[in-house]
Amino acid sequence: MATLATRLPNILGDRTAAVLEKSFGITTINELLRHYPRRYVVRGELTDISKLLVDEDVTILAEIEAVKLRRANGKSILEVVVTDGSAKLSLTFFNQAWREKDLKTGRVGLFAGKVGVFNGKRQLSHPDFQLIPDGENVDEAIAEFAGKFLPVYPATSKLPSWKVLQCVKLALDSLEDIPDYLPEEITKQHKYPNLKTAFEEIHQPSDLESAENARQRLTFDEALLLQILLGQRRLEIEGLSTRSRTPNSPFLVAEFEENLPFSYTKGQIEVNKQIELDLSRKFPMHRLLQGEVGSGKTVVALRAMLSVVDSGGQAVLLAPTEVLAQQHFRTINKILGDLAIIGSLGSNEIGIQVELLTGSLPTSKKKEIHTRLANGEIGIVIGTHALISEGVAFSDLGLVVVDEQHRFGVEQRDALKVKAKYPPHLLVMTATPIPRTVAMTVFGDLDISTLRELPSGRVPINTHVVSVLEKPLFLARAWQRVREEVAKGHQVYVVAPRISNPNKKLSEREIAAARLLGEEYLDNEQMVAVEELAPDLATGDLKGLKIAVLHGRQPSDLKEQTMAAFSQGQIDVLIATTVIEVGVDVPNASMMVIMDADRFGVSQLHQLRGRVGRGKVAGLCLLVSNASEESQSMQRLNAVASTLDGFELARIDLEQRKEGDVLGKSQSGGKSHLRLLRVLRDEELIDRAKEMANKILSIDPRLNRLPELRDEIEKLRIDEAARFMDKS
Ligand code: ADP
Ligand code: MG
């Protein structure tokens, strides 16, 4: 008899097992049983073809209505039209004329493939299929390998749904009685089936209600396990002992506040207090600070860093890109003024040594910074991932500040942690508003603070959509507007989605051929690219203005020079990719034109436009797009234009993105254990799971009385660690 840990080659045969591993990373019975059906087709009912979505991998049960064989360009094309009685779908086979003898009008079968579009009609090209044996009753034929409800699995063309079904059936049949890690108290309270029954019912339901109940239980499992893991992490953090970082004489903080040209907002005062409290504790702070672009997070973080330096420790600020690290470096030096002592070795002056450490520094400079970090001369170091590289050691790292969490993984934070003598305090900043349930799951081991208000006196940003398709003349008007802005002494950003377009432009003929083959040719579609747009504008609409280009492929000293020149007003128009997305702060920039704006996500657009309207003049943002007026893209752009509420836009964004994008790669890997739980949808369930997890942990933090549950959590922990190792 097999257990959940049994490896698939032992029950399936090597070839099938290899395909399962290759297609879905499935290697054990447990993983196979957690490859859940997407939906169920009821025996005797054909699939509703009108509901199929483009790009979806589908398995449908349908009847062949017509078959046509024709020739084009020396190829044979077999076109089969299937129907569910109302809607139709065409299946296309190239150079497979021999299939004509099987695919006869009137026959019913299962067809699997990816829904594509050709000539405006949905189709499957080269679908995998299994015909119901001729003359047999459809119901009975399907009943042979499934019950009344035929599960439809996520499938690939190599591994269609019915093959998955056969594997699952073998696995279930060979499985012995398995222990249930969920405490009986919980299963009873919720009337959940036990684990084995849940697996059986979700894969081979006796009725849809039991299937749903099984699904509920397995979803709850995911939420509960995650909440227990996070709960244990919180307990671990609280169990760590570190140095409290409360300065005896907060000299730097006092000087800094004296020099600040503004007073804190109410939110900043509150968060400052909270952080002070956190830093005074004997276990490390783990705090997420969220707030709109411009809400003043960096100022709060800087105060915390100074406070740690005042108490004798060091602080690091990690930025997601070099441009941002450089900018933080400039801003911080500006705010610190005379307090900052840059690059001076062993100085006796009163103040703080601040350094910028990035991957592109010459080795000698890096080495010098490494030495001064190790001997404690440097108080604050700002940099990118390069900081985490080998060779960096601190004298006494007290605080890690991470800017823009969504580009940083948990594992990167951990990598820095091991460089400290005492576990450092951690402050993570993000401008992407995080919905409550995402905060509870993905960031569940962090405390959260939010800056809700922007500093007063902030000017508004007006956003307009420029629809090139509907009103081609408006684009010329937009460039005119740029000239006017520059004439007023202001500066302008122009953002494009690409650095350059692929060299190889497909000819009309090649595109036609690709279409004929049903191949993906969209990747070759041209978009506005910085390297093409800049010369166009410089010799055309923006002739005579001082134009510069900024993108990620440039050497970093060039990027730095360009950003410095732009902030000093030596450049009128900066044509850039999204490298300017987060944190770039040039108050004199008053206008932004975003080309092919529909290529960007809602939150990304919001972040981008946050670069303007940071000074005294109102910001203007133009979203240029070729999308048609009724398209979804255009609706998204209109939504961005209609509100400045970051939380509202984040909600719209999240609704449109896939869950995996929300959770970040580390949480959505092929082996992620969140298969059923939808963080955005299952709010009530997550609440319930968290409550339950806290209850369990409060009486038995190590789960000594629930060994099966403990083992399951341990597996999860190891899986997560393994995913980290895979990537590093
Ligand atoms: P964030 O990091 O949240 O985007 P910053 O800390 O960079 O925000 O602040 C954005 C701008 O607002 C900076 O120029 C900063 O100096 C300024 N600022 C920060 N706090 C205040 C405040 N309380 N009053 C006025 N201006 C502020
Ligand atoms: Mg910032």
Side-chain angles (χ1 to χ4, degrees):
M1 278 309 238
T3 68
L4 284 178
T6 301
R7 300 186 63 79
L8 291 177
N10 298 330
I11 58 161
L12 292 181
D14 292 347
R15 252 190 52 207
T16 313
V19 179
L20 270 166
E21 175 161 12
K22 188 142 181 283
S23 306
F24 299 110
I26 293 174
T27 56
T28 63
I29 291 194
N30 186 46
E31 284 162 4
L32 177 60
L33 293 183
R34 289 183 190 278
H35 187 72
Y36 302 118
R38 260 203 205 122
R39 53 194 161 84
Y40 306 93
V41 176
V42 184
R43 191 144 51 99
E45 288 173 14
L46 299 179
T47 313
D48 186 349
I49 289 177
S50 68
K51 293 216 173 86
L52 300 180
L53 297 175
V54 175
D55 278 347
E56 202 182 11
D57 275 309
V58 297
T59 300
I60 60 163
L61 181 63
E63 181 178 335
I64 298 175
E65 190 187 70
V67 184
K68 200 166 72 188
L69 183 66
R70 59 196 170 85
R71 303 208 139 260
N73 301 336
K75 283 195 173 106
S76 76
I77 302 171
L78 182 65
E79 191 175 283
V80 178
V81 176
V82 297
T83 177
D84 60 8
S86 52
K88 293 174 194 183
L89 185 70
S90 75
L91 319 176
T92 319
F93 301 88
F94 295 97
N95 287 338
Q96 297 192 350
W98 47 272
R99 292 200 184 278
E100 198 184 6
K101 69 174 172 18
D102 293 327
L103 295 164
K104 289 250 159 38
T105 305
R107 290 197 66 172
V108 172
L110 289 162
F111 303 91
K114 196 191 196 75
V115 182
V117 180
F118 181 62
N119 278 347
K121 276 190 274 180
R122 288 169 307 164
Q123 66 153 12
L124 301 180
S125 102
H126 289 257
D128 224 321
F129 63 90
Q130 179 164 329
L131 294 173
I132 304 302
D134 219 357
E136 248 184 71
N137 182 312
V138 177
D139 279 13
E140 279 167 19
I142 292 176
E144 248 178 56
F145 57 105
K148 174 155 191 263
F149 303 98
L150 177 68
V152 178
Y153 290 95
T156 66
S157 48
K158 286 249 160 53
L159 196 67
S161 181
W162 57 85
K163 286 201 185 129
V164 177
L165 170 60
Q166 284 160 352
C167 296
V168 168
K169 200 168 158 50
L170 278 170
L172 280 175
D173 288 348
S174 66
L175 196 62
E176 65 192 31
D177 257 351
I178 48 175
D180 193 347
Y181 50 79
L182 210 58
E184 215 182 337
E185 185 195 326
I186 298 180
T187 40
K188 277 216 180 102
Q189 180 189 335
H190 291 92
K191 300 202 172 60
Y192 284 150
N194 69 31
L195 186 59
K196 175 117 194 254
T197 313
F199 280 141
E200 285 163 355
E201 285 296 329
I202 200 167
H203 289 291
Q204 309 195 321
S206 47
D207 56 72
L208 289 180
E209 204 180 317
S210 329
E212 180 50 30
N213 202 20
R215 189 172 291 265
Q216 285 284 336
R217 183 218 135 121
L218 293 165
T219 312
F220 183 76
D221 283 10
E222 292 179 4
L224 182 72
L225 292 175
L226 184 60
Q227 288 304 326
I228 291 179
L229 183 67
L230 291 166
Q232 286 185 330
R233 280 213 187 124
R234 277 195 305 271
L235 290 174
E236 272 162 35
I237 293 166
E238 286 166 24
L240 288 174
S241 75
T242 191
R243 271 189 150 170
S244 69
R245 305 281 177 176
T246 319
N248 290 326
S249 61
F251 171 78
L252 292 170
V253 172
E255 283 288 301
F256 164 72
E257 295 194 327
E258 188 131 309
N259 291 341
L260 267 190
F262 46 76
S263 40
Y264 291 130
T265 62
K266 249 204 238 138
Q268 284 172 318
I269 293 173
E270 243 169 65
V271 180
N272 285 341
K273 241 193 242 156
Q274 180 63 55
I275 291 176
E276 229 168 70
L277 184 67
D278 290 349
L279 291 176
S280 74
R281 294 216 172 96
K282 288 255 172 10
F283 63 87
M285 163 170 82
H286 255 215
R287 183 165 296 279
L288 175 73
L289 174 56
Q290 59 171 339
E292 284 261 355
V293 167
S295 58
K297 298 181 296 296
T298 309
V299 172
V300 167
L302 183 54
R303 185 185 187 277
M305 291 192 279
L306 291 173
S307 171
V308 166
V309 176
D310 266 335
S311 66
Q314 293 166 296
V316 11
L317 171 55
L318 292 180
T321 64
E322 287 208 22
V323 169
L324 279 174
Q326 286 155 2
Q327 180 186 288
H328 272 308
F329 183 59
R330 274 196 307 273
T331 316
I332 287 177
N333 279 307
K334 205 164 90 192
I335 304 184
L336 291 178
D338 291 342
L339 282 177
I341 307 163
I342 303 156
S344 58
L345 275 156
S347 158
N348 289 325
E349 298 161 69
I350 298 173
I352 171 172
Q353 295 192 18
V354 181
E355 278 291 358
L356 176 68
L357 178 59
T358 53
S360 61
L361 286 181
T363 318
S364 57
K365 177 70 184 168
K366 268 191 219 161
K367 280 209 173 121
E368 182 224 302
I369 293 181
H370 289 176
T371 310
R372 287 163 57 222
L373 274 173
N375 68 20
E377 277 172 33
I378 295 175
I380 293 180
V381 63
I382 299 156
T384 60
H385 304 248
L387 266 188
I388 307 171
S389 71
E390 299 285 315
V392 179
F394 293 85
S395 160
D396 181 16
L397 178 61
L399 171 65
V400 177
V401 178
V402 182
D403 195 12
E404 292 311 326
Q405 152 73 30
H406 58 290
R407 303 209 183 163
F408 260 92
V410 174
E411 56 277 5
Q412 286 154 319
R413 285 163 17 197
D414 291 345
L416 251 188
K417 267 196 236 167
V418 303
K419 296 192 179 295
K421 250 198 289 194
Y422 307 95
H425 297 278
L426 175 70
L427 180 66
V428 175
M429 305 191 283
T430 178
T432 312
I434 299 167
R436 198 178 78 92
T437 47
V438 176
M440 282 172 67
T441 46
V442 184
F443 304 105
D445 52 348
L446 297 169
D447 295 317
I448 296 184
S449 296
T450 308
L451 291 175
R452 291 188 189 281
E453 48 183 341
L454 295 184
S456 59
R458 194 55 57 78
V459 292
I461 305 166
N462 295 309
T463 308
H464 300 285
V465 179
V466 178
S467 166
V468 181
L469 213 59
E470 305 286 318
K471 300 175 178 118
L473 289 179
F474 276 37
L475 186 57
R477 175 79 193 95
W479 300 127
Q480 184 54 39
R481 191 75 183 69
V482 171
R483 302 190 75 98
E484 288 164 21
E485 212 55 36
V486 171
K488 282 189 248 169
H490 301 149
Q491 292 162 278
V492 179
Y493 297 101
V494 178
V495 181
R498 278 226 177 123
I499 298 173
S500 58
N501 276 307
N503 283 334
K504 190 174 154 278
K505 288 189 187 172
L506 290 186
S507 68
E508 288 295 315
R509 258 186 76 177
E510 283 171 310
I511 292 176
R515 282 192 187 169
L516 194 65
L517 291 167
E519 271 172 16
E520 193 64 78
Y521 62 93
L522 281 174
D523 266 0
N524 293 293
E525 210 179 346
Q526 305 286 302
M527 286 179 222
V528 177
V530 169
E531 286 181 345
E532 292 162 18
L533 180 64
D536 269 9
L537 289 176
T539 55
D541 288 297
L542 301 184
K543 200 168 164 186
L545 303 189
K546 281 171 279 176
I547 292 178
V549 163
L550 185 74
H551 60 70
R553 247 189 259 146
Q554 292 169 324
S556 50
D557 51 345
L558 178 60
K559 278 188 278 188
E560 190 174 2
Q561 274 169 24
T562 307
M563 265 327 289
F566 189 68
S567 32
Q568 286 156 23
Q570 293 158 6
I571 293 167
D572 299 322
V573 180
L574 186 63
I575 303 180
T577 56
T578 52
V579 289
I580 58 154
E581 182 183 349
V582 265
V584 170
D585 188 13
V586 178
N588 192 46
S590 60
M591 177 174 177
M592 176 177 283
V593 183
I594 305 178
M595 306 303 290
D596 278 342
D598 48 288
R599 300 286 174 173
F600 301 98
V602 166
S603 288
Q604 205 178 9
L605 290 170
H606 183 58
Q607 296 258 14
L608 277 168
R609 74 175 157 183
R611 307 297 110 227
V612 296
R614 294 172 78 83
K616 293 188 182 57
V617 275
L620 173 65
C621 176
L622 300 182
L623 306 174
V624 179
S625 169
N626 282 313
S628 74
E629 208 61 43
E630 311 75 43
S631 65
Q632 249 211 344
S633 308
M634 201 44 100
Q635 285 168 23
R636 282 189 305 136
L637 297 184
N638 285 326
V640 175
S642 70
T643 179
L644 284 172
D645 181 342
F647 278 88
E648 169 64 13
L649 290 171
R651 196 187 54 71
I652 295 174
D653 205 8
L654 289 169
E655 276 171 6
Q656 299 196 340
R657 280 192 296 172
K658 293 210 183 84
E659 193 90 356
D661 301 338
V662 179
L663 300 182
K665 292 228 165 45
S666 58
Q667 276 82 12
S668 69
K671 284 185 162 192
S672 163
H673 94 123
L674 293 192
R675 301 213 160 88
L676 296 172
L677 187 68
R678 290 292 166 265
V679 170
L680 300 170
R681 181 197 64 197
D682 297 325
E683 182 160 9
E684 182 269 338
L685 194 121
I686 293 170
D687 277 335
R688 199 146 40 87
K690 180 165 186 180
E691 203 177 300
M692 187 67 73
N694 286 342
K695 205 163 117 196
I696 293 173
L697 290 175
S698 69
I699 34 181
D700 187 9
R702 289 176 194 280
L703 304 175
N704 290 330
R705 269 169 283 177
L706 300 165
E708 278 99 11
L709 189 58
R710 187 188 57 208
D711 292 351
E712 202 61 25
I713 301 271
E714 212 40 49
K715 268 191 254 162
L716 199 63
R717 203 189 291 271
I718 292 167
D719 271 4
E720 283 210 344
R723 272 210 296 283
F724 167 43
M725 303 298 269
D726 282 352
K727 272 185 296 165
S728 54

